[in-house]
């Protein structure tokens, strides 16, 4: 499987994943940050932004301060 197909699979499956309510908010936020990067890597900035918004809802401070989120936002803005 090519890297692009693997990223697309990660984005789709990560978006479909239902997280338990008991999961720690920072862990859930990091999951959505990773999903956002996967969407961006396959050229879907709208889906990337949706995933970042989900990250912000569950872990707002972490999402606001994390360096990888900044890079993802820059990538979304550049498209």
């Amino acid at each position: 499987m090519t890297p692009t197909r693997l990223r697309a699979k990660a984005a789709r499956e990560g978006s479909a994943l239902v997280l338990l309510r008991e999961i720690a908010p920072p862990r859930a936020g990091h999951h959505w940050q990773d999903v956002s990067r996967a969407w961006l890597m396959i050229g879907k900035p709208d889906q990337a932004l949706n995933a970042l918004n989900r990250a912000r809802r569950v872990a707002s401070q972490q999402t606001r301060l994390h360096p990888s989120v900044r890079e993802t936002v820059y990538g979304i803005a550049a498209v």
Side-chain angles (χ1 to χ4, degrees):
M1 197 176 272
T2 65
T4 302
R5 292 183 90 180
L6 286 173
R7 289 181 190 113
K9 182 179 178 184
R12 284 192 312 275
E13 290 183 6
S15 292
L17 186 66
V18 177
L19 301 176
L20 299 174
R21 290 183 184 263
E22 296 84 25
I23 195 167
R27 184 167 290 196
H30 198 83
H31 166 76
W32 292 114
Q33 292 169 24
D34 289 342
V35 170
S36 178
R37 273 196 307 275
W39 281 121
L40 185 61
M41 287 178 161
I42 62 168
K44 304 278 187 176
D46 54 334
Q47 296 288 1
L49 185 58
N50 288 339
L52 277 184
N53 282 328
R54 290 185 79 167
R56 192 185 63 180
R57 282 195 295 270
V58 296
S60 62
Q61 184 175 7
Q62 177 192 15
T63 303
R64 196 170 39 251
L65 300 174
H66 203 283
S68 71
V69 171
R70 261 182 260 130
E71 288 180 23
T72 305
V73 170
Y74 293 149
I76 292 168
V79 174

